[in-house]
């Protein structure tokens, strides 16, 4: 019997690396196992696998007739198509318990920690299996990703302990550098047209009869867009001319410095300056602590428009 280990649909780094790490643990215990994933990897996960020189799991989207172990989820709607819950033999996860119901007892290890990688490190330890250095690098990356380098409210002391142990095994000295590398891959703008970047995460709003557009790019560093600032502004001008906007804003959010370089194209720039209590230098201004369009940028603009 071969067990297909799989993470959730739309796989993230934890889902992909946990499938690999759990398949390796099963194999170390004499169980035939195959790591799988339900779709292509995102750029962050690709970077991680390349960095630790590991092959991608095979793609498995249809579980008909297959024996399956679920990692990083236990919801049937996130599991592969045609899954038979009776063919699920194990769950290793860190989310709320989903709706998988079985007729027989199965192995289930779910803990309220920040990442499946942390649960898996503890399983390796419990079962006395040494973690392969490359696999340790993957698990380490997953924990940094899921906990946003320990900043997420979901991060626990157990996650920090697992990172401390895994970085030794993987010979990673600087986990901040590793996190930054993943963040850069995730937020990569290389080769993407300025118009597409402006619209990557963009919304229009009506503010007292004025059309206001706001796009946001999350970046590891503002250097990522230094060479294309003029192109981005031109894309904003074209969008404004075509859409008849009062204002178009582009938030260049520096996730590490926790603030936003706000690029402003407006019929009334002083209104935008007032909204954020700032002063434009050229066509932009730095707004410290601005991270959220929904919670910060839009409410301040609405207030300025008297909404
Ligand atoms: Mn996940
Ligand atoms: Mn996860």
């Amino acid at each position: 019997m071969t067990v297909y280990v799989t993470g959730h649909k739309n796989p993230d780094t934890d889902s992909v690396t946990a499938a690999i790490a759990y398949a390796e643990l099963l194999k170390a215990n004499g169980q035939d196992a195959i790591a799988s994933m339900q779709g292509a990897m995102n750029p962050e996960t690709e970077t991680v696998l390349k960095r630790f020189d590991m092959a991608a799991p095979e793609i498995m989207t249809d579980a008909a007739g297959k024996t399956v172990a679920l990692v990083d989820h236990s919801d049937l709607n996130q599991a592969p198509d045609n899954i038979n819950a009776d063919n699920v033999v194990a769950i290793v996860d860190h989310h709320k318990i989903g709706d998988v119901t079985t007729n027989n007892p199965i192995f289930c290890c779910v803990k309220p920690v920040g990442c499946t990688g942390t649960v898996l490190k503890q399983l390796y330890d419990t079962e006395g299996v040494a973690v392969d250095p490359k696999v340790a690098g993957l698990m380490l990356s997953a924990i940094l990703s899921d906990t946003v380098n320990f900043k997420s409210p979901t991060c626990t002391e157990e996650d920090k302990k697992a990172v401390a142990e895994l970085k030794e095994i993987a010979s990673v000295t600087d986990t901040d550098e590793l996190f930054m590398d993943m963040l850069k891959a995730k937020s990569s703008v290389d080769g993407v047209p300025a118009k597409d970047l402006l619209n990557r995460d963009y919304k229009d709003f009506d503010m007292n009869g004025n059309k206001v557009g706001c796009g946001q790019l999350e970046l590891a560093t503002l250097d990522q867009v230094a060479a294309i600032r003029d192109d981005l502004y031109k894309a904003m001008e074209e969008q404004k001319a075509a859409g008849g906007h009062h204002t178009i804003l582009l938030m260049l959010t520096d996730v590490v410095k926790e603030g936003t370089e706000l690029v402003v194209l407006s019929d009334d720039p002083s209104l935008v300056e007032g909204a954020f209590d700032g002063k434009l230098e050229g066509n932009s201004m730095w707004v410290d602590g601005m991270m959220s369009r929904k919670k910060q940028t839009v409410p301040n603009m609405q207030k300025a428009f008297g909404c």
Side-chain angles (χ1 to χ4, degrees):
M1 181 186 76
T2 300
V3 176
Y4 283 80
V5 186
T6 185
H8 53 73
K9 285 191 161 74
N10 192 16
D12 56 10
T13 296
D14 190 26
S15 265
V16 174
T17 61
I20 294 171
Y22 191 48
E24 289 300 313
L25 179 59
L26 290 173
K27 284 192 266 183
N29 287 329
Q31 170 71 56
D32 196 15
I34 295 175
S36 64
M37 58 185 181
Q38 296 188 59
M41 290 184 287
N42 66 35
E44 180 194 83
T45 312
E46 268 178 30
T47 296
V48 167
L49 262 66
K50 200 184 278 175
R51 180 170 178 139
F52 293 102
D53 192 27
M54 290 289 286
E58 67 176 64
I59 297 211
M60 193 274 285
T61 55
D62 190 331
K66 292 190 172 78
T67 303
V68 179
L70 302 179
V71 291
D72 202 31
H73 72 296
S74 64
D75 290 291
L76 290 173
N77 68 2
Q78 292 181 40
D81 296 340
N82 302 314
I83 193 168
N84 178 349
D86 260 340
N87 292 339
V88 175
V89 292
I91 296 169
V92 181
D93 191 19
H94 68 118
H95 296 91
K96 70 171 181 64
I97 303 282
D99 53 2
V100 171
T101 309
T102 61
N103 283 326
N104 294 302
I106 65 164
F107 180 85
C108 189
C109 189
V110 180
K111 295 192 71 171
V113 292
C115 180
T116 310
T118 301
V119 182
L120 282 167
K121 173 62 171 67
Q122 295 176 356
L123 274 182
Y124 269 85
D125 292 348
T126 306
E127 299 184 14
V129 176
V131 185
D132 173 87
K134 288 180 183 181
V135 176
L138 302 187
M139 293 157 77
L140 169 65
S141 304
I143 301 172
L144 297 176
S145 173
D146 265 12
T147 66
V148 196
N149 205 17
F150 309 129
K151 280 188 202 155
S152 164
T154 58
C155 184
T156 68
E157 288 304 315
E158 292 175 65
D159 299 300
K160 291 179 189 167
K161 182 168 177 279
V163 164
E165 292 168 359
L166 288 166
K167 66 183 275 203
E168 293 298 324
I169 301 169
S171 301
V172 171
T173 46
D174 188 348
T175 54
D176 287 338
E177 184 275 329
L178 170 58
F179 176 72
M180 194 67 140
D181 203 26
M182 290 192 288
L183 193 55
K184 277 186 187 156
K186 193 176 170 179
S187 61
S188 176
V189 297
D190 295 347
V192 185
K195 186 182 192 310
D196 295 353
L197 290 174
L198 171 63
N199 290 290
R200 180 181 271 180
D201 179 12
Y202 174 93
K203 277 181 184 159
D204 276 327
F205 303 87
D206 178 80
M207 300 192 183
N208 245 347
N210 301 288
K211 191 169 172 186
V212 176
C214 185
Q216 182 173 27
L217 284 176
E218 293 193 327
L219 302 164
T221 161
L222 292 179
D223 294 347
Q224 283 174 273
V225 292
I228 56 164
R229 285 286 291 263
D230 289 347
D231 296 337
L232 287 169
Y233 197 71
K234 212 169 144 216
M236 291 167 70
E237 287 177 324
E238 284 168 8
Q239 194 134 311
K240 186 175 182 297
H245 295 76
H246 177 284
T247 298
I248 289 187
L249 304 174
L250 176 58
M251 300 170 63
L252 302 173
T253 300
D254 188 319
V255 178
V256 177
K257 290 197 179 127
E258 299 188 29
T260 289
E261 182 77 16
L262 188 68
V263 186
V264 178
L265 176 62
S266 177
D267 293 343
D268 185 359
S270 64
L271 179 143
V272 183
E273 287 182 322
F276 302 102
D277 197 21
K279 186 98 193 75
L280 284 168
E281 284 172 38
N283 53 33
S284 71
M285 60 185 173
W286 174 257
V287 185
D288 215 38
M290 182 198 273
M291 303 288 285
S292 166
R293 176 174 59 201
K294 189 170 76 177
K295 289 186 183 154
Q296 294 167 305
T297 315
V298 169
N300 279 338
M301 285 297 288
Q302 283 173 324
K303 218 164 137 191
F305 273 107
C307 300

